[in-house]
Amino acid sequence: LPSSTMLLALPSSASLVTTTPAAIRPVLRPRAQLLATRTALGPADLVSEPTSTASGSAAFSWEANWYPVMPTSYADPVRPNGFTLLGKHLVLWKSADGWACVEDACPHRLAPLSTGRVTEEGTLMCRFHGWRFDDAGNCVEVPNA
């Protein structure tokens, strides 16, 4: 991996954080080692606790854990970067406040936002009807409305 920062995605909420490759190494270890080294990870929210099932055993939730997506040096900061994680289509882009990630579908007609563009203000614009979204996925402009 390059020595740049890495983007991590949380599929259940389409959240995104940046970290260094050194901080990711524990995430790539087996789950038992991961829980044992939790304090070495830094932010506690990088690791989710296992949930209990009806039988009392711990169940692993794939969507409640962080996954490395790509080094920031690989992501194009001037255009949307579409990718798939655990079967979910997501898009990341460089917003005014840093890297952002949302589901890769415009709520208007479900067009892929990854085919849109990043505006000068750092919002993500759908290429079909021009709807614009902020880094939290909120629609901030609907043209002709």
Side-chain angles (χ1 to χ4, degrees):
L1 290 174
S3 61
S4 67
T5 57
M6 183 69 101
L7 294 166
L8 298 179
L10 181 65
S12 62
S13 65
S15 299
L16 196 71
V17 295
T18 56
T19 187
T20 60
I24 294 172
R25 285 192 191 109
V27 176
L28 299 177
R29 293 181 187 160
R31 180 100 176 135
Q33 290 179 4
L34 181 61
L35 292 174
T37 60
R38 181 180 181 132
T39 56
L41 289 173
D45 60 350
L46 285 180
V47 180
S48 66
E49 293 295 330
T51 57
S52 296
T53 62
S55 64
S57 63
F60 182 79
S61 173
W62 287 98
E63 291 196 354
N65 288 279
W66 293 90
Y67 296 92
V69 177
M70 69 180 73
T72 53
S73 60
Y74 289 8
D76 189 342
V78 296
R79 69 171 188 82
N81 299 268
F83 65 98
T84 302
L85 180 62
L86 300 178
K88 283 190 167 191
H89 299 287
L90 303 171
V91 60
L92 63 94
W93 77 98
K94 186 77 176 247
S95 72
D97 297 326
W99 290 99
C101 180
V102 296
E103 289 188 33
D104 191 10
C106 179
H108 178 226
R109 296 282 186 176
L110 300 180
L113 292 172
S114 57
T115 61
R117 68 180 181 93
V118 178
T119 65
E120 291 179 8
E121 298 84 23
T123 58
L124 182 59
M125 180 186 284
C126 178
R127 77 178 260 198
F128 292 98
H129 297 105
W131 287 29
R132 290 180 30 204
F133 302 91
D134 65 10
D135 56 359
N138 300 315
C139 185
V140 294
E141 183 182 352
V142 178
N144 304 320

